[in-house]
Amino acid sequence: MTPILSIQQLDVSYCGTRILNDVTLALHTGKILGVVGESGSGKSTLLQAVIGLLGDHGRIDHGKLEFDGIDLIRIKKKDMRRLRGKRLGMVFQHPGASMNPIRKIGVQFLEALHAHGDFDKKEVRTRILNMLSELRLTDGERILNSYPFELSGGMNQRVAIALAMVLHPELLLADEPTSALDVTVQAQVVRQLMDLRDHFGTAMMMVTHNMGVISYMVDQIAVMYAGRVVEYGNKLDVMKHPQHPYTKALIAAIPQLHGRKMVGIPGQPPVFGEPYAGCPFAARCTSARAACRQELKLVPNDYGNGHWTLCPYGCD
Ligand SMILES: Nc1ncnc2c1ncn2[C@@H]1O[C@H](COP(=O)(O)OP(=O)(O)OP(=O)(O)O)[C@@H](O)[C@H]1O
Ligand SMILES: [Mg+2]
């Protein structure tokens, strides 16, 4: 089956400094890919590259990006604008980036809908209010009459999700969509996102630091470190049998209410743009060998079932 999103050997830079390196991922209709990795590893950059919003300083240096067979690197700006919102939805890491601060929320919904078709006014209002209520925003009329600054952070985050979902996109890129929500609302939002997937076959690429969301929601996991995907596979394979020492350390760092102590990962990733030899994780890796700090070829080491890592030695 052809993936709805195909990312191949993608390199991205900001102001000439390479951030993403050789990222290859594929996402199929109806599947949810969780992207994890520590702060600054390039997760948001990856999503922004896909949706064509790297900004003035960002550049795709190399690689391929295809959505449903459409070349997202060479696509005309006006065609990309048409895709965005309707077929490609995005929930930004900061809800403010999804919304205009000086326009009422109702107006922003209407603009988003009318940019992509003629909708009956009454039907549109019902559709928006239903979507808000599914996201536990029951005071819909007041919300539509509010400016973003009049709502709480968690409310704005849900409004941003509703805005991205209202046109039932085929691919939803969501950058930490539940980070500002308390656990009960978070559970509702996660269920709503999964309903969207179930009803419309929406594929999702979701960045989250929340391992609870990962274990409940996603089908595949991509682990990012220093601008590279260092491990990829089905959720259970990655969670139960992590093969990259960074993934293993990340899983060991998950807070537990009872049981084992949390273990941090001492040290820092390499600074983007500064050269390093071998594996970018070698300096922090407790199982690193001499070869890891030398000229190590970073090629996927395949464990079967689509599970691979960039570590040639593995953890088992
Ligand atoms: N617009 C930009 N201009 C210049 N550098 C940028 C820009 N956006 C991100 N970067 C840099 O790219 C690197 C990766 O940032 P990115 O935001 O993709 O990380 P992230 O994995 O999403 O982190 P977090 O978990 O903290 O959100 C960082 O070093 C960051 O400073
Ligand atoms: Mg980010």
Side-chain angles (χ1 to χ4, degrees), residues 14-15 19-20 37-46 48 54-55 57-58 93-94 175-176 207 209 224 272:
Y14 288 117
C15 305
I19 303 291
L20 295 187
E38 80 189 355
S39 183
S41 56
K43 306 177 298 293
S44 298
T45 301
L46 179 59
Q48 282 158 2
L54 282 170
H57 304 296
Q93 185 166 5
H94 310 287
D175 200 345
E176 302 196 30
V207 171
H209 287 280
M224 292 193 66
F272 287 110

Side-chain angles (χ1 to χ4, degrees), residues 254-291:
I254 299 173
Q256 304 264 325
L257 206 49
H258 305 290
R260 66 178 150 75
K261 246 175 48 187
M262 264 164 65
V263 189
I265 311 175
Q268 300 291 328
V271 174
F272 287 110
E274 286 185 9
Y276 55 85
C279 169
F281 189 59
R284 304 168 78 185
C285 179
T286 48
S287 1
R289 307 169 188 205

Side-chain angles (χ1 to χ4, degrees), residues 14-83:
Y14 288 117
C15 305
T17 300
R18 176 67 54 80
I19 303 291
L20 295 187
N21 242 305
D22 201 17
V23 172
T24 295
L25 288 171
L27 182 56
H28 288 88
T29 295
K31 295 289 179 198
I32 303 180
L33 169 68
V35 181
V36 298
E38 80 189 355
S39 183
S41 56
K43 306 177 298 293
S44 298
T45 301
L46 179 59
L47 263 54
Q48 282 158 2
V50 172
I51 198 125
L53 292 175
L54 282 170
D56 294 341
H57 304 296
R59 226 185 82 142
I60 292 177
D61 298 322
H62 176 261
K64 277 190 181 171
L65 264 180
E66 280 183 4
F67 166 72
D68 194 22
I70 303 166
D71 181 342
L72 293 182
I73 297 179
R74 276 161 206 88
I75 190 171
K76 290 196 181 116
K77 279 194 176 150
K78 74 171 186 353
D79 294 333
M80 189 65 188
R81 274 199 295 273
R82 228 175 269 148
L83 279 188

Side-chain angles (χ1 to χ4, degrees), residues 9 22-25 228-232 243-244 296-304 306-314:
Q9 300 179 313
D22 201 17
V23 172
T24 295
L25 288 171
R228 291 177 185 270
V229 175
V230 295
E231 181 153 4
Y232 172 85
Q243 292 297 337
H244 194 285
L296 188 73
K297 225 168 175 223
L298 291 171
V299 287
N301 185 6
D302 204 331
Y303 289 87
H307 182 192
W308 57 262
T309 83
L310 281 192
C311 175
Y313 305 114

